[in-house]
Amino acid sequence: MGYCGVMQMRSRFRSDRRLTVRMTVTLFLLGLLYVAFVAALIALLKSWVLVVVIAAAVLGAQYWFSDRIALYAMHGRIVEREEYPQLHGVVDRLCAVADMPKPLVAVSSMDMPNAFATGRNPDHAVLCVTTGLLRRLEPDELEGVLAHELSHVAHKDVAVITVASFLGVIAGLVVRFAFYSELFGRGRRDQNTVAVFGAVMGISALVYAISFLLIRALSRYRELAADRAAALLTGRPSALASALTKVTGDIARIPTKDLRTAQAFNAFYFTPAFGADAGISRIFSTHPPLEQRLEQLARISAELGEAAEPGKAG
């Protein structure tokens, strides 16, 4: 591979205008929703200090500790080069080509074949793979999956999704707070209290629904952008397509009970943790359908093949 080819892939990996625009628009809309939500809660609950403190605490915890939370939930641990030399070697090569800092490398002792990236920025990132993934994939397939996850890190997808999901978490906390706060304590169950309770519940449900749909729309495009960046970085879209097909098929055969914990982190995974009977959950998935991802990779494969022809002729 020539120097020019490497530089082209670097710049493509580093920047995706369409992804940046969609992230900016989504965060702007979520920001407006957040401001309206907080203003409504302050008006209803008469305690702006409490609302702001709760919101700031939850956002700070999500942003600063997302990597630790995800690793703990998925039974992951940081591994050194001596334990997994081949895994570290692939990550080293990809980071060198992509011109980005190497994240911490972790392994989860789960049979479910998957991978995820987490962390607030490229300098504080963790790339985690499961033992099930390492056992099932060929080296070139693994490289494609790791390139996909590194694209998320390079584009700061993890931080964006963490912040974006913050509204849904706050909406859920507010509903719980409404039940247990003094506002609904004994001796205050009058019509005004019932009206405020209904308003809080209604606003929280609406905010959760809107943020849910916005995040899902952003996340699906985010996955397509990561597939595209990974295919261009490695120059082997077919290997990534093979990994997608293999992993998706194997996850469907994993017992449903083993997927329940993983499903809470679907937005961060290489492919969603759906069992054989996913049902309606596929409609609201954080990932586009497998067919759409494979079609995009097939188009990229054709484009790369066409681009290679003049080089062969010369």
Side-chain angles (χ1 to χ4, degrees), residues 173-182 184-185 189 197 201:
L173 287 177
V174 166
V175 172
R176 294 186 182 183
F177 170 75
F179 277 112
Y180 298 113
S181 69
E182 294 182 0
F184 306 106
R189 298 183 184 278
F197 175 78
M201 295 287 286

Side-chain angles (χ1 to χ4, degrees), residues 256-294:
T256 302
K257 64 178 181 180
D258 295 338
L259 299 178
R260 288 173 184 165
T261 300
Q263 286 172 357
F265 293 89
N266 269 345
F268 299 96
Y269 273 131
F270 168 64
T271 191
F274 286 141
D277 301 319
I280 197 172
S281 59
R282 289 189 185 275
I283 300 176
F284 301 106
S285 175
T286 54
H287 292 60
L290 174 63
E291 293 76 14
Q292 185 179 1
R293 298 176 75 175
L294 294 179

Side-chain angles (χ1 to χ4, degrees), residues 31-54:
L32 290 180
L33 188 63
Y34 171 70
V35 171
F37 185 40
V38 171
L41 291 180
I42 291 173
L44 290 169
L45 302 179
K46 311 295 183 185
S47 177
W48 68 269
V49 175
L50 182 61
V51 172
V52 171
V53 167
I54 292 177

Side-chain angles (χ1 to χ4, degrees), residues 7 35 56 72 79 96 120-121 149 151 175 183 202-203 205 209 212 218 226 307:
M7 289 305 295
V35 171
Y72 176 79
V79 296
R120 60 186 183 273
N121 58 48
E149 294 304 326
S151 171
V175 172
L183 182 63
I203 292 173
F212 179 91
L218 171 62

Side-chain angles (χ1 to χ4, degrees), residues 77-84 87-88 104-108:
R77 64 182 181 87
I78 305 298
V79 296
E80 300 299 331
R81 184 182 302 275
E82 293 74 21
E83 294 180 85
Y84 289 88
L87 176 60
H88 272 273
L104 293 174
V105 178
V107 171
S108 166

Side-chain angles (χ1 to χ4, degrees), residues 101-122:
K102 181 183 177 181
L104 293 174
V105 178
V107 171
S108 166
S109 58
M110 296 184 68
D111 186 53
M112 179 190 69
N114 227 321
F116 66 89
T118 183
R120 60 186 183 273
N121 58 48

